[in-house]
Amino acid sequence: MIEIRDLHKSFTLWNQGGAVIPVMAGAHLTVAPGECVALVGASGAGKSTLMRMIYGNYLAQSGSIRVGGLDVARAEPRQILALRREVLGYVSQFLRVVPRVPTVDVVAEPLLALGADPADARARAQALLARLAIPERLWALSPTTFSGGEQQRVNIARGFVHPYPALLLDEPTASLDAANRDTVLRLIEEAKARGAAIVGIFHDEAARDRVADRVVDVTGFTPQRGAR
Amino acid sequence: MSGERIFAENSGRSFDERSRAAPLLQVRGLTRRYGARLGCGDVAFDLWPGEVMGIVGESGSGKSTLLNCLAGHLAPDAGQVIFATRDRGPVDTVTMSEPERRMLGRTDWAFVHQNPRDGLRMAVSAGGNVGERLMAVGARNYGAIRASALDWLGRVEIAADRIDDRPLAFSGGMQQRLQIARNLVTGPRLVFMDEPTGGLDVSVQARLLDLLRGLVRRMGLSAIIVTHDLAVVRLLADRLMVMKGGQVVESGLTDQVLDDPQHAYTQLLVSSVLQV
């Protein structure tokens, strides 16, 4: 489902004397449907960079990133937009939404973007919010004022509302209590069971051990730091 | 032809139909000079149905010149702006006859100005402002026009009892929402926006952004939005073009251009704002 080959990336900082910072060299990764791969490596080793490249958020210099048949490293913006709508979900650590949009609509939006019936989309969003223990009185409010843990769960609901065939999860259980953490891990297990290919970053080792089938150390993909 | 019916036809298009469709707009080699100075040079891009494209750059970068050339307000010196018309397929709007282009401006195209005063008739009632555009495309039944105007005032969150008030009595945010209603009532397929949230309070901006996003999605609209506000394009635009000195220096997915800018100017632009 996800296949990365010989991926290279460096940042060129034009306003700092054109400094070139290599961040990825020769990265390889294959994730099969129903499989969860956890990325590990020290802070700054490039876990998030690799996830962002898979999502098309960071440009690749060379190599290929195939997700569901599309090479994200070479795709047109509109192909990546379609991929993100239909195939590839992303739960980031940060919630970025238009202020004042009700939580239920924030969560339903991925379904609405796919042309789902608004009533069905909202019903599905409400079911997920309930499962993630977001109190019903908050559903009509914007999540911008929520606590960190609540925002995290809204982000997760948004990432699981559509059954994406591929999912990127950046610290999905950070800042959650035991009950909510368990709910999120169940959601991940269910996604795997329906065949989703998942790449995740989990600092929570117990969570990682529970849902990840394999661990990939990205330190090997970052030559400068790896050589140190 | 009622605005409501056109709206129903627009929103009835399925997602698949929209994603499979041909480009709505194909721009090739678009150039405009002011004497020796370049307004915009050799701009080319495709816009697909349902896509929102942002154009950013500082004052004088050529973004407004480009928008006005695209919308037919300014004649380019060279280049093509090919629009997928409903009846004749792709047509170069630059070489189109003036009456044809004006008809397009009343039907399939809409233009939202930064200053609502440029897009509204300030001495005409709110309902009249919306109804006027319907009448321009042939609507004649008073009851239907007023019903349509009321419906659209509701959609842009203007209370029904303000329908007979003139926009002069409205706040800036309300005026901008009225301008949007006036523009969208005829069910356009392409909307040009020039700094649509400029000059509004931050809280009013958020409300307008939410409104625009909802309308774009529900109507399957395509839009080209010129702004200097990177937070606005982050939330509203799928794709981004960065302009400097009349040239497009960088383009791509909005979040990619903002998070991994490749060009020195874009890097400077992104690092100069507090947080986007």
Side-chain angles (χ1 to χ4, degrees), chain B residues 237-252:
Chain B
D238 304 307
R239 291 164 54 197
L240 195 58
M241 290 201 314
V242 182
M243 291 191 74
K244 183 184 186 334
Q247 311 274 358
V248 174
V249 295
E250 182 163 357
S251 64

Side-chain angles (χ1 to χ4, degrees), chain A residues 9 12 57 84 96 109, chain B residues 213 255 260 262 267 276:
Chain A
K9 165 85 185 160
T12 306
N57 179 231
R84 289 176 179 184
R96 192 172 250 145
E109 196 186 304
Chain B
R213 262 167 72 109
D255 60 284
D260 186 16
Q262 305 296 303
Q267 293 184 359
V276 286

Side-chain angles (χ1 to χ4, degrees), chain B residues 171-203:
Chain B
S171 68
M174 276 175 81
Q175 288 180 357
Q176 196 56 299
R177 296 202 302 278
L178 180 62
Q179 191 193 179
I180 288 165
R182 175 181 161 99
N183 268 283
L184 298 190
V185 67
T186 49
R189 290 189 294 152
L190 176 58
V191 185
F192 301 98
M193 299 190 204
D194 191 2
E195 303 274 8
T197 61
L200 298 176
D201 288 344
V202 178
S203 63

Side-chain angles (χ1 to χ4, degrees), chain B residues 18-224:
Chain B
R18 277 187 275 133
S19 60
R20 267 203 305 270
L24 186 66
L25 195 70
Q26 299 172 65
V27 179
R28 300 288 178 267
L30 202 63
T31 301
R32 163 78 194 203
R33 293 178 181 284
Y34 299 104
R37 198 166 60 80
L38 187 66
C40 63
D42 204 22
V43 176
F45 65 90
D46 287 343
L47 186 73
W48 297 77
E51 272 186 351
V52 176
M53 189 162 74
I55 304 175
V56 296
E58 61 200 15
S59 304
S61 61
K63 55 192 197 302
S64 291
T65 296
L66 174 59
L67 191 73
N68 283 311
C69 284
L70 293 171
H73 296 170
L74 202 59
D77 295 321
Q80 297 173 298
V81 178
I82 300 161
F83 180 71
T85 62
R86 292 184 206 229
D87 47 346
R88 289 194 292 142
V91 177
D92 184 2
T93 62
V94 174
T95 55
M96 207 178 234
S97 72
E98 186 56 35
E100 272 182 303
R101 196 160 48 232
R102 248 185 278 134
M103 191 60 195
L104 206 55
R106 285 199 297 266
T107 55
D108 269 355
W109 286 9
F111 197 103
V112 176
H113 297 265
Q114 171 174 7
N115 188 336
R117 285 160 191 269
D118 296 333
L120 290 173
R121 294 224 290 150
M122 300 306 280
V124 173
S125 71
N129 263 288
V130 178
E132 192 178 53
R133 196 162 141 120
L134 281 174
M135 288 168 69
V137 293
R140 287 294 173 262
N141 181 304
Y142 176 79
I145 293 171
R146 192 166 168 96
S148 211
L150 258 179
D151 173 55
W152 267 95
L153 291 180
R155 285 186 210 207
V156 298
E157 303 170 17
I158 294 175
D161 64 5
R162 304 300 299 269
I163 188 169
D164 295 319
D165 292 353
R166 293 180 193 179
L168 275 174
F170 288 1
S171 68
M174 276 175 81
Q175 288 180 357
Q176 196 56 299
R177 296 202 302 278
L178 180 62
Q179 191 193 179
I180 288 165
R182 175 181 161 99
N183 268 283
L184 298 190
V185 67
T186 49
R189 290 189 294 152
L190 176 58
V191 185
F192 301 98
M193 299 190 204
D194 191 2
E195 303 274 8
T197 61
L200 298 176
D201 288 344
V202 178
S203 63
V204 179
Q205 275 192 21
R207 190 173 185 192
L208 197 67
L209 281 176
D210 174 30
L211 180 76
L212 285 172
R213 262 167 72 109
L215 290 171
V216 162
R217 190 186 57 226
R218 284 195 293 277
M219 297 176 73
L221 284 176
S222 301
I224 298 177

